[in-house]
Structures are given as structure tokens and as C-alpha cells.
Amino acid sequence: MRDRWRTVLSWARSAAKVWPGSVRLLICALGLWITALADPGPWALLAAPFLVSLGFLCLRRHHHLGVLLIVFACLFTIQTTMLGAGRGTEEVTDVEGIVVGHSQPGPSGWSRLTVLTSGGFTEVLSPSAPPEGSHVTMRTEALDDIRISSNDATILRTPNRLWTWRGDLRMQLRHDSLASGHNGGALLPGLVVGDTEPQDARMEDDMRVVSLTHISAVSGSNVTIVSLGAGLLAGLCGAGPRTRVGIGVLTCMGYVFVVGFEPSAIRAAGMAIAVALVFLRGGGISPVAVMSSTVCVLLTVVPVLATSVGFVLSVVSTAAIMFVVPIILRRLSLRLSMVPAIVLSALIVPLVAQLACTPVLVAIDPRIGLWSVAANALAAPAVLPATVLGFLSLVCGGLGLVGVPGLLWCAQLPAWLGSLCAWWIVAVARICAGLPGAALDWPEPPWGTLAALGLLIVLGAGSWLLVRRKLWGVPVVVLCICLTALIIVVGRTKPPAHDWLVMICDVGQGSATLINLGEGRGLVIDTGKDPKPVDVCLDEGGIEEFDLVISHFDADHSAGYAGTTWSRTLHRLWVSTNVSEGEETHSIVEDTGAEVVPTARGRTFDAGGAQIEVLWPPARETAGAEETTGTEETEGTEVRNEDSLVLRVEQKGLSYLVPGDIGEDEQFIVAQNLEPVDVLIAPHHGSSDLSEDFFTAAGARLGAISVGENSYGHPTPRAQRAFGPVPVLRTDLCGTIAVYANAQYSTGRSCGGDGQ
């Protein structure tokens, strides 16, 4: 024991001599500063000094491990400290500052504002988005790691000329890009300045499926291209290292001003400046030190990045590329000397980055794609020219807006060429996203994340053995592949059999029901809130041509309609007579060209062998906006649950009821003349606003509840009890539910046969 302590003390004395006195003093000061400011809890206060001490002990014999422990301890402490400071007080306080960035409004219509205050950047969730550059004041309270304001911001001062010029410049680039007339024009503004509004839902989903979302908006690679390009151009003009770095950093700051100061843009700028310092300075600087310093500064300036998934992905991918890629390239260059280095880099860089990010990605979306690496490799050659051409169009447009003659016209050509490069990226994403295996199911977190991390470690060990010419690497890699395939096969969603009659789709907290009319034709009743889930459900059912029924225009029943039209033909749109002339109906008609068919209680029709009877609602003589009793506010439009279409369907001996969101009063009225059915879908996702008489009159042999994660308590125990002693299946537990003749059913996931 004494010998061990002597060894430990010897290591400590040796570690104290590793770094110069100034560096040791700086580390001590940093540690004291962190300790004084931090209040992250007893565990963190004890863990951080322990990790730092352990790191110093490892510096002599295991230098890299020691540095890693010290850096990790510092980052962990800074993260917990600054995150706590960024959340601010729990009390209601006023936030006053300049709006320097905002996200696109989400499905709820709320936007995430980045406000520059006297204390730094603050993230505020707001019901409206004031013009960027506005000086505002907002009454806010704490919400997780950001703040929220229930009321619109009060504008104290409108944007000045510089901010107005910036807004005009972004709109000019969008106009010039969209003039190309293809999907590349919608992608280019997002790629160059983060303007993602022109991108439609299908493009966003395709890019997400094949892990190209870092291209659909400004990322570190885009900012790096711009800042490095400016620095290298200065170098060609004879500038020295410091001048090159200065020009690169200034260009980066100006570019971020145009893009916006959202956390993602600041993160991208930080990574770009780190790369510029390493490459433009011309040596004499440690990449590890630059990267670690950049991470510390970013977490200090923008504390909300501590919980940003994008920030984690940036750090993980950058670290993997920095440490792993050079080792693999050196080994492969010796083995494959005939293959150009640029080709090896194009294959290895996206592969390593994708693998390193996989444990984080499956925690966000528990799916993995077989074609993500291929998509990144194919799209990568187009990113550089698209960014450069888009930036050139931006410069020409900016100078043209301040009065330089002819440059507004000159900005159109690079925008058109850049859109052409962006079109290739969109095409690659669309093709790869449509291939089999583009989105394979993976277990939900945390087990899915742990499984991905474990498999990545096994794969890394096998690859290292192969690089070291050890034959044991082959069975290790094969084992990793077999385990991955086993997890995918065991956890995959089960497709329905070909003879299904009706499917209750798993679309989250929403409703979407498919009726099989045979030969690729179907009737779609509601679509859910997001386009992708209903698109997946239609693919599983093999539907290529269809009519669409919208029970009512709540977002969770109608907002995902765009997903039904992806690579399919929509013929007719069935809606209630009471809303057939509404704005929402006209909007869908304009987007799809469908024929509108108004319907009301008492109408019956035959749809490809399925007899459909409309049980509700009755037609109103007037459907004026003044009738607002019992309305809900959804995305700025008044909708009425009591106007939901209620359909009774009989098909090949199977009867079922699709009741929309009708409440207790409407259910009681419908129950008076309701014939029993085999399958009943719960009204309003299992809400407690129900009539037991309705469930009794239906007399269903099988119950289904279309529901997802929600804060309403759906489905309520009362709704589940109302079905009586019959199986009740829930889409949040069972996945998509397919029903066959004689009320037989199958589910996408195993849920024990009874969703209750």
C-alpha cells in the first residue's frame, strides 16, 4: 500500500512539471472560478475536482487520457453552471433587448426568439415573432431551459436601416432562388442564410431520413466554407497568417449577422472560427486546444446550447473527424495507394461522422437509415459550389440594394446556378429516402441509445483490430453486423396482411383511418398532424389513388394532408357542407387540385364496394363566423368539434364507425338511431367528453383509440371503460392497427393483444 501511495505522489509531482507555470495558474484560476460560481449540486461539485485530479495523475504515462479527463471535467462544470445561469430566475421577469434571430413558427404558431440583452443571449418562446432588429420588452417566466412569454412582445423601437437592409437582402436571395422553378430554389436560401420557409414538408422529411438536415439549414460546414474562402482569398493576395485569420473571422461574423443569431448559427460560427484558426494560421496551434476552447466559449456565451442536440452532434462529429479520420486515412492510403486521397476522404468522412452521431440520432428519432452515408457522400460535392454561388449572389444582392447599379441583376445568375447544385442535393435525398431500408425501426431510448453505443464500441474495436492487421477483427465486425440486423428484425414494425379492410394509423396525437378499396385505391379519413406518419401508413397499405375525407379542420386531423399526396393521386375531397366554403377547404384544393364534395347527415354513397353512411353533422343554413359556441382555437382558425363528420362503413361483412371528435351531446343524438358495429374508434382520442349510450348502442366487438403522447390525459379511464369487456387497442401502444374480416386484427407492435 505504501508503495502505491509513493507512486501516486510521484505521478502528482511529475504532473505538476508537465505544463508551464502560467498554464498551471490559469487552470487553477479556472477551477476556482467555476467552484465559486457553480451550484450544480453535491454530486457535480465532488465529481469535477475528482476528475481533474485524476486527469493530472494520468498526464505523464497516459497523456491523452489525462487531457481528456481534464477537458471533460471543465466542460461538464461549465455546462451545468451556465445552463443554470441561462435559465434565470423562476419568477416572472421582464426581458428587454434586441431580437437578433427567430425560428420558423411551429405547428402551434409559436416562435423561439433569440434576444440580445445586457446579460447576453436569451431564448424566449413567444406567440409572435417581431421583425429582427426590433428593440422589445417581454414579460417572461421560466420554461425548462428557456423562457416563455404568454403575450406578444412590446416593440419599443423598430429595426434600423442596417437591419432593414438585412431583411431585404434575405428576401432578395429567396426571390432569385425561387425563380429557378424547381426544388433546388427552395433549398438554397436555407443552405445559404438559414431561410427554411420555402421548403415543404416532404423535402424536410427526406433530408431528415437520410441525415442531410445539416444541409437544409446553415451548418458549420457552410460557415466554414465562407470564412475559409475569404481567408484563403486574402492569402492569395499576399496577406500574412494573422491577416488571413482576421479576414476569415470578420467575414464569419458578417455572415452570421445575415444568417441570424440563433443558437444553431452561433454554434456553426464557433466551429467555423475554430477551423479557420487551425488552417489559416499555418501551424503551431493544437486542434484539440482550439476545439475545447471553442466549446467552452460557446457554452459560456450561449448557455442554451448545453441542451441542444445540434450542438452535441457538432462536437461529436467534429471530434470523430479530427481524431479518427486521419488514422484511417493513413492506413488506407498505404493499403490502397492507387485510390486518390480525395475519394477516400469522400467515403470515410461521412461514414465516420454518421457512425459517431448514431447514438445521439437514435435518441432523437429511433430509426436508422442504410443509405445515410451514401446520401451524404453523393450530396457533399454539391454543397461547396451551392454555398459559394449562393454567397456570391448574396454579396451582389447586398451591394445592389445599397445602390450599386446592375448588381441586383447580376445576383440572379449565381442564384440560378446555386439552385441547380441544390437541386442535386434534393434529388439525392428524395431518391435515397425512397429506397428500401431508408428508415429502419430501432428500439426507443434509453435502451436504443445504449444498444447503438455498445454496437459502435464493438465496431470500433473490430475496425481497430483490422487496422492493426489482427484477424480477430473480422469476427468482431461480423458479430456487430449480425447483432445490428437482429435488433432491427426483432424490433421492426409488422406490415399488415394484403387482405386488410381498414387501418387505424399510428400518427401520434391525431387521427387517420384508411379504407381499402382494392387495387391500390383507398379512402383516407383524416390525416393526423404531421405529413410523414400518414405517408408511411399509406405506403404500408399500398395506397396509390384515393379520396380524402376531412372530418373537421383541427390540426391533428387535417394538418398532415400533404403527406397523403406524396407520389399519389388525390381525386376528391369530402368535407362537411358546413365548412365546404371555408378557407381551409380552399387551401387544400389550391394545393392538390382535388374536387370538393360537400356532405351532411343522411347521405349515403358507395365507394368501391364500401357502403358509407354519414351520421353527423346536419347541414346548417348559415355557417357564419359568428357561431363560435364550443369552438377551439387551432393555428389561428376557429374549428368546431361538433361539426365533425361521423361515418358508418360496411365492407365485406365488416362494419365500423369513425366518429371524429364529436362530444357527449352529439354522441347522445347519434346513439338514438345507431345500428351496432363490429369496430368502434373512440371519439376525440378517448376524451372524457362522452356519452355511455353511444358506446352501448355501438355494441362493438373491438375498440380502437387513435392517440399519442399528449398533455390532455387521453385516453381517459372513463373512455376505456365505456367500451365494455372487449379488446381495446391503442395506437400509442400497438402502433398501426389493421382490421380484417370478422373483426380480426393485427398490430404494428406487440401490445399484449389488449391495449388497455
Side-chain angles (χ1 to χ4, degrees), residues 405-424:
L407 285 186
L408 281 178
W409 181 85
C410 292
Q412 298 176 14
L413 179 60
W416 186 86
L417 293 174
S419 298
L420 195 61
C421 298
W423 172 86
W424 168 256

Side-chain angles (χ1 to χ4, degrees), residues 346-391:
L347 295 174
I348 296 301
V349 169
L351 174 62
V352 170
Q354 183 70 28
L355 289 175
C357 294
T358 296
V360 182
L361 292 173
V362 296
I364 310 168
D365 183 7
R367 291 186 295 176
I368 59 173
L370 294 181
W371 310 107
S372 298
V373 174
N376 277 268
L378 290 172
V383 175
L384 175 61
T387 303
V388 172
L389 289 168
F391 184 73

